[in-house]
Amino acid sequence: ALVLAAPPLFLNDFFSNLAQSGVELPWLSRVVMSGSRLLAHPVTLALGFVTALTARPALVRFLRSRYFENWLLALPVAGSVYRTLLTTRLVRALGLQLEAGLYLDASLRLAGTASGSETVREEMESVITRVMNGNSLEFALRRSSFFPPLLTEFIAVGEETGKVPEMCEVIERLLTFEL
């Protein structure tokens, strides 16, 4: 919209000269000029502002929906960056809660919620179920297709050495560097 609205604001004289010159402009130039005049009209701006105010709650709900999140995660580059960001949030929260002395199941549940992602929260619920059934945290995380192998390898080392919170800090630093 800004590309269409900017020309009449900054190039009004230029548009007038082009229109009066009698030169046949390409169709795309004519469309951009007409659309920009329409968007720069005060009534159109007022209608756009009112529409934006009323559509905002629906847009926010859509952007927080599972459908949008799955679409975003499926994108080639942005999806992997978003997945890395969510994993970073998860391990930061998990490490802090384990270091504070919370039980593993509570830490996993709170870390899933702290990630801000419905997908991660649901994955963590399945991880909690596996852990509560007697599996190791590394095994439970490896069964999920969401988490990267780096996470499961470091968690395995943390479980073997009894230093899962410290390994969460290491994973967080590595993932932050990757971002």
Side-chain angles (χ1 to χ4, degrees):
L2 182 61
V3 171
L4 292 175
L9 298 174
F10 301 112
L11 302 173
N12 202 14
D13 293 336
F14 182 71
F15 278 179
S16 297
N17 290 340
L18 274 178
Q20 293 172 359
S21 70
V23 175
E24 181 67 26
L25 295 174
W27 69 272
L28 185 58
S29 297
R30 291 192 308 263
V31 167
V32 168
M33 287 171 58
S34 299
S36 64
R37 280 191 209 106
L38 178 67
L39 285 176
H41 196 276
V43 173
T44 308
L45 291 174
L47 284 173
F49 183 71
V50 169
T51 303
L53 285 178
T54 57
R56 186 179 182 280
L59 180 63
V60 168
R61 272 193 311 277
F62 173 72
L63 292 176
R64 291 183 180 165
S65 71
R66 180 76 187 255
Y67 173 78
F68 178 74
E69 187 173 49
N70 287 339
W71 175 80
L72 184 61
L73 286 167
L75 292 175
V77 174
S80 63
V81 170
Y82 185 57
R83 183 180 308 267
T84 303
L85 176 67
L86 293 175
T87 306
T88 304
R89 287 181 187 165
L90 175 84
V91 296
R92 178 181 302 134
L94 181 62
L96 289 173
Q97 292 166 45
L98 289 173
E99 196 171 307
L102 267 67
Y103 290 115
L104 181 59
D105 60 332
S107 296
L108 292 170
R109 187 168 284 111
L110 290 171
T113 303
S115 73
S117 165
E118 189 64 26
T119 303
V120 173
R121 193 191 62 72
E122 289 177 10
E123 289 290 331
M124 293 313 289
E125 288 299 324
S126 63
V127 167
I128 291 168
T129 302
R130 290 184 196 110
V131 168
M132 296 307 281
N133 287 335
N135 294 310
S136 69
L137 178 57
E138 179 267 335
F139 177 84
L141 289 170
R142 193 177 302 277
R143 292 291 166 252
S144 170
S145 61
F146 185 84
F147 302 111
L150 173 77
L151 174 69
T152 56
E153 295 300 324
F154 274 90
I155 291 295
V157 171
E159 283 183 315
E160 290 173 12
T161 61
K163 298 186 178 196
V164 174
E166 290 85 352
M167 287 296 111
C168 286
E169 288 179 31
V170 171
I171 298 166
E172 179 192 353
R173 281 195 302 262
L174 290 172
L175 292 176
T176 302
F177 180 74
E178 188 177 311
L179 286 174

